[in-house]
Amino acid sequence: MGMKAEEKLEIAADDLKTYLHANHSIYMDVNGESYYLTDANDRYWRVQDTSKMNEKNHYTDCSELVPTLSEFLSLPFGEANKCIMDLFDEAEFYASTKPE
């Protein structure tokens, strides 16, 4: 899991899939919540809730694991049960950086 960059990314909805494919993760802040959108071993994609940690001190999953980015971007998650693309216009995105 990376660290959330301080500077907001300027990214278009059409570019999100390409960004995730190249970078493997991104932070999404929406409606007072922060989520980590990431792959799991380059095979599956998931949304994680950054406010809840598991026993390994990692963010907890709040979506199913799915094998494709297209499926991932349209997968409902969280209490709002909306997908990433439904929330895109309300969201702010931040790069995931490697700890130094």
Side-chain angles (χ1 to χ4, degrees):
M1 128 180 115
M3 295 175 56
K4 182 178 173 182
E6 291 183 28
E7 190 172 322
K8 185 172 78 166
L9 284 174
E10 295 299 328
I11 189 166
D14 291 342
D15 297 328
L16 184 57
K17 186 174 181 179
T18 302
Y19 183 92
L20 284 168
H21 184 34
N23 295 284
H24 306 278
S25 60
I26 196 169
Y27 283 86
M28 179 178 79
D29 289 359
V30 63
N31 300 325
E33 302 291 333
S34 185
Y35 300 98
Y36 190 55
L37 316 181
T38 187
D39 65 3
N41 301 320
D42 294 327
R43 293 186 178 184
Y44 294 94
W45 293 89
R46 64 185 171 201
V47 178
Q48 295 182 312
D49 184 339
T50 65
S51 70
K52 298 175 185 167
M53 305 301 263
N54 65 19
E55 63 281 349
K56 294 180 182 179
N57 206 31
H58 294 147
Y59 304 137
T60 57
D61 293 351
C62 61
S63 76
E64 297 176 39
L65 289 170
V66 293
T68 67
L69 267 171
S70 295
E71 187 177 3
F72 175 62
L73 294 174
S74 62
L75 178 70
F77 71 93
E79 290 183 28
N81 202 35
K82 291 185 178 182
C83 73
I84 294 163
M85 297 314 292
D86 287 343
L87 297 168
F88 188 89
D89 290 338
E90 305 167 42
E92 293 181 341
F93 293 89
Y94 299 83
S96 175
T97 61
K98 302 287 183 206
E100 293 182 24

